[in-house]
Amino acid sequence: MARPRKPTHLKVVTGTAQACRANPKEPKPKRARPTAPTGLSKRAKAVWTKAARLLDGMGVLTTADSLALEGLCEAVADELEARASLARPIVAQVQDGVADDETPIMREIEVAAAGAQTYVTIGKSGPMVRMRPEVGAIADANRRVAMWLAKFGLTPADRSKVGAEGQQNENAFQQIG
Protein backbone atom coordinates (compact mmCIF):
# COMPACT_ATOMS: atom_id res chain seq x y z
CA MET A 1 0.00 0.00 0.00
CA ALA A 2 1.39 3.37 -1.01
CA ARG A 3 2.18 6.07 1.48
CA PRO A 4 -0.46 8.84 1.56
CA ARG A 5 0.39 12.00 -0.36
CA LYS A 6 1.85 14.84 1.62
CA PRO A 7 -0.02 18.15 1.19
CA THR A 8 1.90 20.87 -0.65
CA HIS A 9 2.03 23.22 2.32
CA LEU A 10 3.76 20.48 4.33
CA LYS A 11 6.25 19.93 1.49
CA VAL A 12 7.03 23.66 1.49
CA VAL A 13 7.69 23.87 5.22
CA THR A 14 9.75 20.67 5.25
CA GLY A 15 11.84 21.80 2.26
CA THR A 16 10.90 18.96 -0.08
CA ALA A 17 8.71 20.95 -2.48
CA GLN A 18 9.70 20.77 -6.14
CA ALA A 19 8.30 23.19 -8.70
CA CYS A 20 8.03 20.48 -11.36
CA ARG A 21 5.74 18.43 -9.11
CA ALA A 22 3.57 21.29 -7.86
CA ASN A 23 -0.10 21.57 -8.77
CA PRO A 24 -0.71 25.20 -9.77
CA LYS A 25 -4.49 24.69 -9.45
CA GLU A 26 -4.34 23.28 -5.91
CA PRO A 27 -6.99 24.90 -3.70
CA LYS A 28 -5.60 27.15 -0.98
CA PRO A 29 -8.25 27.61 1.73
CA LYS A 30 -7.84 30.62 3.98
CA ARG A 31 -6.71 30.17 7.55
CA ALA A 32 -9.68 30.38 9.92
CA ARG A 33 -11.33 28.57 12.80
CA PRO A 34 -14.45 26.79 11.48
CA THR A 35 -17.58 26.71 13.60
CA ALA A 36 -18.62 23.43 15.21
CA PRO A 37 -21.18 21.41 13.21
CA THR A 38 -24.62 21.08 14.77
CA GLY A 39 -24.56 17.26 14.64
CA LEU A 40 -21.61 16.82 17.00
CA SER A 41 -22.15 14.71 20.11
CA LYS A 42 -21.96 16.44 23.49
CA ARG A 43 -18.48 15.06 24.25
CA ALA A 44 -17.26 15.90 20.75
CA LYS A 45 -18.37 19.53 21.18
CA ALA A 46 -16.15 19.84 24.24
CA VAL A 47 -13.25 18.31 22.31
CA TRP A 48 -13.96 20.63 19.34
CA THR A 49 -13.45 23.73 21.46
CA LYS A 50 -10.07 22.57 22.75
CA ALA A 51 -8.83 21.12 19.45
CA ALA A 52 -9.89 24.12 17.35
CA ARG A 53 -8.16 26.50 19.76
CA LEU A 54 -4.98 24.40 19.71
CA LEU A 55 -4.88 23.94 15.92
CA ASP A 56 -5.69 27.59 15.27
CA GLY A 57 -2.92 28.62 17.64
CA MET A 58 -0.49 26.39 15.74
CA GLY A 59 -1.54 28.02 12.47
CA VAL A 60 -2.61 24.81 10.73
CA LEU A 61 -6.41 25.19 10.77
CA THR A 62 -8.26 26.40 7.67
CA THR A 63 -11.88 26.78 6.60
CA ALA A 64 -11.63 23.46 4.71
CA ASP A 65 -10.70 21.46 7.81
CA SER A 66 -14.17 21.27 9.35
CA LEU A 67 -14.87 17.65 8.36
CA ALA A 68 -11.41 16.45 9.36
CA LEU A 69 -11.69 18.22 12.71
CA GLU A 70 -15.14 16.68 13.18
CA GLY A 71 -13.62 13.23 12.58
CA LEU A 72 -10.91 13.90 15.16
CA CYS A 73 -13.41 15.18 17.74
CA GLU A 74 -15.81 12.26 17.32
CA ALA A 75 -12.95 9.75 17.54
CA VAL A 76 -11.73 11.33 20.78
CA ALA A 77 -15.33 11.40 22.09
CA ASP A 78 -15.76 7.71 21.21
CA GLU A 79 -12.58 6.85 23.10
CA LEU A 80 -13.67 8.86 26.13
CA GLU A 81 -17.10 7.19 26.12
CA ALA A 82 -15.61 3.69 25.85
CA ARG A 83 -13.17 4.43 28.70
CA ALA A 84 -16.03 5.74 30.86
CA SER A 85 -18.02 2.57 30.12
CA LEU A 86 -15.02 0.41 31.00
CA ALA A 87 -14.78 2.20 34.35
CA ARG A 88 -18.27 0.93 35.27
CA PRO A 89 -18.93 -2.66 36.37
CA ILE A 90 -21.00 -5.04 34.27
CA VAL A 91 -24.00 -6.26 36.28
CA ALA A 92 -26.37 -8.98 35.08
CA GLN A 93 -29.64 -10.32 36.46
CA VAL A 94 -29.85 -14.08 36.89
CA GLN A 95 -32.73 -16.26 37.97
CA ASP A 96 -32.26 -17.60 41.48
CA GLY A 97 -35.32 -19.83 41.69
CA VAL A 98 -39.08 -19.52 41.46
CA ALA A 99 -41.49 -18.06 44.02
CA ASP A 100 -44.69 -19.81 45.18
CA ASP A 101 -46.75 -17.93 42.60
CA GLU A 102 -44.38 -19.12 39.81
CA THR A 103 -42.69 -15.73 39.35
CA PRO A 104 -38.94 -15.98 38.91
CA ILE A 105 -36.73 -14.74 41.73
CA MET A 106 -33.99 -12.61 40.24
CA ARG A 107 -30.72 -11.40 41.72
CA GLU A 108 -27.92 -9.25 40.40
CA ILE A 109 -24.38 -10.51 40.00
CA GLU A 110 -21.28 -8.59 39.00
CA VAL A 111 -19.95 -10.06 35.77
CA ALA A 112 -16.97 -7.72 35.47
CA ALA A 113 -15.50 -5.34 38.01
CA ALA A 114 -15.16 -1.66 37.24
CA GLY A 115 -12.03 -1.14 35.15
CA ALA A 116 -11.53 -4.85 34.46
CA GLN A 117 -10.68 -5.61 30.84
CA THR A 118 -12.01 -9.18 30.97
CA TYR A 119 -14.95 -11.15 32.31
CA VAL A 120 -15.65 -14.87 32.73
CA THR A 121 -18.47 -16.77 31.08
CA ILE A 122 -19.44 -20.38 31.57
CA GLY A 123 -19.92 -22.38 28.38
CA LYS A 124 -20.33 -26.05 27.52
CA SER A 125 -16.58 -26.57 27.74
CA GLY A 126 -16.26 -24.73 31.04
CA PRO A 127 -15.23 -21.21 32.05
CA MET A 128 -13.92 -18.85 29.37
CA VAL A 129 -12.18 -15.52 29.88
CA ARG A 130 -13.39 -12.91 27.38
CA MET A 131 -12.42 -9.32 26.62
CA ARG A 132 -15.00 -6.66 27.38
CA PRO A 133 -16.36 -5.03 24.21
CA GLU A 134 -15.20 -1.64 25.49
CA VAL A 135 -11.56 -2.74 25.12
CA GLY A 136 -12.03 -3.20 21.36
CA ALA A 137 -13.92 0.10 21.12
CA ILE A 138 -11.06 1.90 22.89
CA ALA A 139 -8.49 0.32 20.56
CA ASP A 140 -10.49 1.27 17.46
CA ALA A 141 -11.07 4.83 18.63
CA ASN A 142 -7.42 5.17 19.59
CA ARG A 143 -6.33 4.16 16.06
CA ARG A 144 -8.69 6.74 14.57
CA VAL A 145 -7.47 9.43 16.98
CA ALA A 146 -3.83 8.68 16.08
CA MET A 147 -4.64 8.91 12.36
CA TRP A 148 -6.40 12.27 12.73
CA LEU A 149 -3.68 13.66 15.01
CA ALA A 150 -1.07 12.77 12.39
CA LYS A 151 -3.06 14.50 9.66
CA PHE A 152 -3.07 17.72 11.68
CA GLY A 153 0.61 17.37 12.67
CA LEU A 154 -0.19 16.84 16.35
CA THR A 155 2.11 13.90 17.08
CA PRO A 156 5.78 14.52 17.96
CA ALA A 157 7.01 12.77 14.80
CA ASP A 158 4.59 14.69 12.55
CA ARG A 159 5.18 17.98 14.34
CA SER A 160 8.91 17.70 13.65
CA LYS A 161 8.08 17.83 9.92
CA VAL A 162 5.98 21.01 10.07
CA GLY A 163 6.96 24.64 10.50
CA ALA A 164 4.21 26.98 11.65
CA GLU A 165 3.83 30.52 10.36
CA GLY A 166 5.77 33.18 12.25
CA GLN A 167 8.11 30.74 14.02
CA GLN A 168 11.81 30.79 13.32
CA ASN A 169 14.00 27.74 13.31
CA GLU A 170 16.61 28.16 16.02
CA ASN A 171 19.27 25.99 14.47
CA ALA A 172 22.75 26.78 15.78
CA PHE A 173 24.32 26.08 12.38
CA GLN A 174 22.13 28.71 10.70
CA GLN A 175 23.27 31.36 13.17
CA ILE A 176 26.97 30.86 12.33
CA GLY A 177 28.32 33.22 9.70
Side-chain angles (χ1 to χ4, degrees), residues 82-104:
R83 287 186 184 280
S85 180
L86 187 66
R88 294 187 295 267
I90 296 178
V91 179
Q93 292 208 352
V94 294
Q95 187 172 340
D96 198 26
V98 179
D100 293 338
D101 61 350
E102 307 259 339
T103 59

Side-chain angles (χ1 to χ4, degrees), residues 8 12 27 29 43 45-46 49 56-57 88 102-103 109 113 120 127 138 145 150 154 158 165:
T8 302
V12 170
R43 282 187 195 251
K45 284 179 185 176
T49 303
D56 191 37
R88 294 187 295 267
E102 307 259 339
T103 59
I109 62 166
V120 177
I138 290 169
V145 168
L154 291 177
D158 293 306
E165 294 178 21

Side-chain angles (χ1 to χ4, degrees), residues 47-131:
V47 175
W48 178 282
T49 303
K50 293 176 185 177
R53 187 179 317 122
L54 173 69
L55 292 168
D56 191 37
M58 290 174 61
V60 296
L61 193 61
T62 70
T63 55
D65 295 331
S66 180
L67 289 173
L69 185 55
E70 181 178 359
L72 170 63
C73 294
E74 288 293 354
V76 171
D78 290 348
E79 184 176 358
L80 292 172
E81 182 61 37
R83 287 186 184 280
S85 180
L86 187 66
R88 294 187 295 267
I90 296 178
V91 179
Q93 292 208 352
V94 294
Q95 187 172 340
D96 198 26
V98 179
D100 293 338
D101 61 350
E102 307 259 339
T103 59
I105 300 172
M106 305 297 284
R107 69 179 169 102
E108 287 187 348
I109 62 166
E110 188 175 272
V111 178
Q117 294 187 3
T118 60
Y119 64 99
V120 177
T121 60
I122 308 295
K124 291 180 182 178
S125 59
M128 294 174 43
V129 177
R130 297 183 180 257
M131 293 296 284

